[in-house]
Amino acid sequence: MLAFVLRRVLHALPLLLAVVVLNFLLIAFTPGDPITLLVGDFPAPPEYLAQMRREYGLDQPVWVQLGHYLLKVLHGDFGYSFAAQQPVAELIVSRLGATLELTLTALLFASVVGIALGVLAAMRAGKPLDGGIQAASSIGYSVPDFWLGQLLILGFAIGLGWLPSQGNNPIRGAAPGWDGFVTHLRYLVLPAFALSLRYLTLITRITRASMLEVLHADYVLASRARGAGEWTVIVGHALRNAAAPVLTVIGYNVGFVLAGSALIETVFAWPGIGRLLFESISKRDYPVMLAILLMVSATVVVANLLTDVLHRWLDPRVERA
């Protein structure tokens, strides 16, 4: 297992380096000047603009800037935000908690409900309940999450007035204790559901397909023949052996949930990394954009690595390459 993990890590390091270089070059060659946006509409002499470019290192050739950036990243320095006027690492850390709360809640909800619906559909295969779950999952998978978020705001926040739609706490701050916790959860419901629906439907379909493969296996039939209860058969035998592909899908989508939170956080004004990425793109805040893209890429690589290890642990027959 240790050799397996080391091989995956050695494969991941060149991939991360390539992602960093590609992200830097794509952003560097994007039309626009962050200095003019930083100065704003106020007239500034060319000498002042040239001085600002020198201070931020934007007057140097792209390859020189890339080399300096790689050296800084190796030392844990992600640069200085043009717009926020503070270190990028501090800016990201201040927003990271809100994003982790949203994405982990959405992924947990999608995993639990998706697995439950998939198992239920497999147990009722070919019946109306199975057809209804499959139809609902197909519709849910095809709905864009940002459009769903706006529909949820119109329905539950504006129309019914049941839930708040913007931010993660009241403007005056949440009350201490249980009341504040409940209030915070009310702000979390709509964005977490909007972010989770696509992955919930995907997990439902994968779970159903995987369960159908094992429900008619010999060991399941033998368990039923020995008089085992239905709960023991489904959970103890069928679901346990069908879990590997489901867990693989969940693990591989961790990074995509994190990356996909940008639109949801923007729609619901959720103060997280995704919204920070959107703001940095509109302001051409290159250091913040690069740091967030690097963080998302690293998250995808680490999630895939952990998923491979978990899959190998669940199924030792996985190829050792």
Side-chain angles (χ1 to χ4, degrees):
M1 179 64 76
L2 180 60
F4 177 82
V5 173
L6 289 177
R7 281 195 296 269
R8 288 292 188 267
V9 171
L10 291 177
H11 291 162
L13 291 178
L15 176 61
L16 275 178
L17 177 61
V19 168
V20 172
V21 173
L22 181 61
N23 286 338
F24 186 92
L25 294 178
L26 288 175
I27 293 176
F29 289 111
T30 300
D33 185 1
I35 299 300
T36 56
L37 287 177
L38 184 62
V39 173
D41 296 331
F42 298 100
E47 296 80 8
Y48 177 74
L49 297 178
Q51 178 185 352
M52 294 288 292
R53 292 190 181 92
R54 284 195 301 270
E55 290 181 0
Y56 288 105
L58 298 176
D59 61 327
Q60 299 175 347
V62 173
W63 299 109
V64 176
Q65 296 182 41
L66 174 59
H68 291 165
Y69 178 74
L70 291 177
L71 289 176
K72 289 182 178 180
V73 169
L74 289 176
H75 290 85
D77 182 5
F78 297 99
Y80 200 78
S81 171
F82 299 158
Q85 293 294 299
Q86 69 179 102
V88 173
E90 294 181 4
L91 187 60
I92 290 180
V93 169
S94 66
R95 301 284 194 100
L96 185 59
T99 292
L100 289 178
E101 178 186 20
L102 175 61
T103 54
L104 293 180
T105 300
L107 193 60
L108 178 63
F109 176 77
S111 301
V112 173
V113 178
I115 292 174
L117 290 177
V119 171
L120 187 60
M123 293 174 60
R124 300 291 186 269
K127 296 183 179 180
L129 180 60
D130 176 35
I133 292 176
Q134 289 195 72
S137 62
S138 298
I139 295 173
Y141 189 78
S142 62
V143 175
D145 49 7
F146 66 91
W147 185 66
L148 174 63
Q150 296 179 66
L151 291 181
L152 292 175
I153 290 174
L154 289 174
F156 292 95
I158 298 176
L160 298 174
W162 290 353
L163 295 168
S165 64
Q166 299 292 292
N168 62 345
N169 275 309
I171 297 177
R172 297 181 179 180
W178 176 255
D179 291 339
F181 176 73
V182 173
T183 300
H184 180 69
L185 286 183
R186 295 181 68 248
Y187 280 84
L188 182 62
V189 170
L190 293 184
F193 180 78
L195 181 60
S196 69
L197 182 61
R198 181 180 181 86
Y199 305 99
L200 186 156
T201 56
L202 176 62
I203 293 171
T204 298
R205 297 178 71 87
I206 296 297
T207 303
R208 176 185 181 276
S210 184
M211 286 290 294
L212 287 177
E213 291 182 3
V214 301
L215 280 177
H216 300 290
D218 292 339
Y219 55 86
V220 174
L221 297 177
S223 178
R224 285 198 170 102
R226 290 194 297 268
E230 190 67 12
W231 176 261
T232 302
V233 172
I234 296 299
V235 177
H237 297 283
L239 184 58
R240 181 179 178 181
N241 287 276
V246 178
L247 293 177
T248 300
V249 170
I250 294 173
Y252 284 164
N253 279 281
V254 170
F256 296 105
V257 173
L258 180 62
S261 67
L263 291 175
I264 294 299
E265 290 184 4
T266 302
V267 170
F268 289 94
W270 189 267
I273 297 295
R275 188 180 176 194
L276 179 61
L277 176 61
F278 179 81
E279 294 170 353
S280 65
I281 292 174
S282 62
K283 298 175 181 177
R284 291 188 175 87
D285 198 348
Y286 294 164
V288 177
M289 295 166 60
L290 287 170
I292 294 177
L293 292 175
L294 174 59
M295 184 190 69
V296 173
S297 303
T299 302
V300 172
V301 171
V302 172
N304 290 351
L305 173 63
L306 295 178
T307 302
D308 289 340
V309 172
L310 181 60
H311 196 173
R312 173 74 180 275
W313 179 70
L314 289 173
D315 189 356
R317 297 170 299 175
V318 173
E319 186 180 356
R320 294 177 178 268

